[in-house]
Amino acid sequence: MKWMSFKHEGQEKYGVYVPEKKGAAVISGQKNTPASLLEAIQESSLAALLTDNLDHLPFVAEGDIEWLAPIPRPSKNVMCVGKNYRDHAIEMGGEASVPEHPMIFTKAPTAVSAHLSPIPAHRSLTDALDYEGELAVIIGKKGKEISRENALDYVFGYTVLNDVTARDLQKRHSQFFIGKSLDGSCPMGPWIVSKDEIKDPHQLAIETKVNGEIRQQSTTAHFIFPIDEIIHVLSKGMTLEPGDIIATGTPAGVGFAMEPKKTLQPGDTVQISIESVGTLSNTVE
């Protein structure tokens, strides 16, 4: 299933994207349904909301909706893995910067935005705005001290995420949070694909284009730290909860590492496509 959140006629709703009909089967507002997709994930009630036939649900055409991030306001910071592709670690700092353990940082919940939402240029703050195409994991059930063997059992699904980064702020403050958390700097979507539709999350092609030019092209097979290890490490001393978001890192090809640098400019459109998941598109305003 492709779980999505959206606005229709001014009301926030959620449902399932129906590709053959190019629109959404609406779940919210039906009898005894949670108010949001996040609440439905937290209550583990999604299976009970559906039958094999979506025709009994109200339908809204794609042209009549305003996209929201699948989880418009996460309950905690988005957790991110830095330098999880060897080629990206090398392009940003040489061989010595390849990590021995997962490098974790976070993005503020207020940074989250949707498919087709503009990316603010924040020109008064930065002139080095960059893109990072990533696969993001959505946690489906509460867990702590999760073993690697059981880690994927805690996954609800996967989405596409753009870890937009102000490189100059990242350097100036000697940490990642401010440079990673500007408003609108965490587009994600267009939906969450349930994990049963992804045969192997470590065999997915990922590609980022800026104005149609391919900038990043790789596969999740090149992760340094696979998803099961990331979940295992994060959960050692911290409880993971339903709806938590983990961005798994970006491959080589970011604009800041190019010569000359190709950071984002107003009017640039970034499209990130991940095999079996979808395409996220946003334009810098």
Side-chain angles (χ1 to χ4, degrees):
M1 294 290 182
K2 294 178 172 65
W3 300 95
M4 58 184 292
S5 298
F6 58 95
K7 276 188 177 181
H8 178 242
E9 297 180 343
Q11 299 293 316
E12 292 193 13
K13 301 182 179 182
Y14 69 95
V16 174
Y17 187 74
V18 185
E20 60 271 20
K21 296 175 70 174
K22 294 186 178 180
V26 184
I27 293 175
S28 51
Q30 307 307 302
K31 186 177 180 180
N32 298 324
T33 56
S36 68
L37 180 55
L38 176 57
E39 289 182 19
I41 295 172
Q42 291 171 335
E43 295 176 14
S44 300
S45 59
L46 288 170
L49 299 178
L50 293 178
T51 66
D52 291 337
N53 185 356
L54 299 177
D55 290 341
H56 70 288
L57 294 172
F59 179 81
V60 179
E62 185 174 339
D64 295 327
I65 70 172
E66 175 187 344
W67 292 93
L68 297 175
I71 300 177
R73 182 60 186 262
S75 57
K76 66 175 68 163
N77 286 2
V78 177
M79 294 169 277
C80 306
V81 183
K83 298 181 179 179
N84 199 25
Y85 290 76
R86 185 181 185 86
D87 56 1
H88 174 60
I90 291 171
E91 75 174 351
M92 295 300 285
E95 191 74 35
S97 72
V98 177
E100 295 182 10
H101 305 280
M103 177 188 296
I104 307 297
F105 60 91
T106 64
K107 297 174 77 79
T110 46
V112 171
S113 64
H115 173 58
L116 300 183
S117 291
I119 299 172
H122 293 287
R123 277 307 197 211
S124 64
L125 295 173
T126 179
D127 59 2
L129 204 64
D130 208 353
Y131 53 85
E132 293 190 5
E134 308 197 13
L135 175 71
V137 177
I138 312 300
I139 296 297
K141 62 180 181 179
K142 187 175 181 179
K144 186 177 180 181
E145 298 180 2
I146 300 167
S147 68
R148 285 196 62 172
E149 293 75 18
N150 296 326
L152 294 184
D153 293 341
Y154 288 78
V155 174
F156 171 73
Y158 304 92
T159 191
V160 187
L161 185 146
N162 187 352
D163 177 17
V164 178
T165 305
R167 300 292 184 192
D168 44 1
L169 297 183
Q170 186 179 20
K171 182 178 180 180
R172 181 184 308 158
H173 294 280
S174 301
Q175 48 74 47
F176 288 6
F177 187 69
I178 293 177
K180 296 281 190 176
S181 293
L182 299 179
D183 287 353
S185 67
C186 190
M188 66 172 64
W191 42 62
I192 299 169
V193 175
S194 54
K195 67 177 180 181
D196 60 291
E197 294 195 6
I198 305 296
K199 184 177 180 181
D200 184 353
H202 301 106
Q203 296 291 333
L204 303 177
I206 179 169
E207 181 181 83
T208 302
K209 294 180 180 179
V210 178
N211 302 326
E213 175 191 4
I214 295 174
R215 298 281 186 87
Q216 296 179 293
Q217 196 169 49
S218 189
T219 168
T220 56
H222 293 153
F223 283 160
I224 298 173
F225 307 105
I227 294 167
D228 53 355
E229 182 173 358
I230 293 167
I231 291 173
H232 169 64
V233 170
L234 284 172
S235 71
K236 280 184 177 180
M238 175 175 60
T239 301
L240 297 182
E241 299 175 307
D244 284 354
I245 301 165
I246 304 170
T248 57
T250 199
V254 298
F256 193 75
M258 295 180 177
E259 192 58 50
K261 299 185 188 306
K262 292 186 176 181
T263 50
L264 294 173
Q265 305 300 317
D268 285 349
T269 295
V270 183
Q271 288 184 309
I272 303 165
S273 298
I274 299 180
E275 180 184 1
S276 301
V277 181
T279 297
L280 173 70
S281 181
N282 302 89
T283 299
V284 182
E285 67 177 6

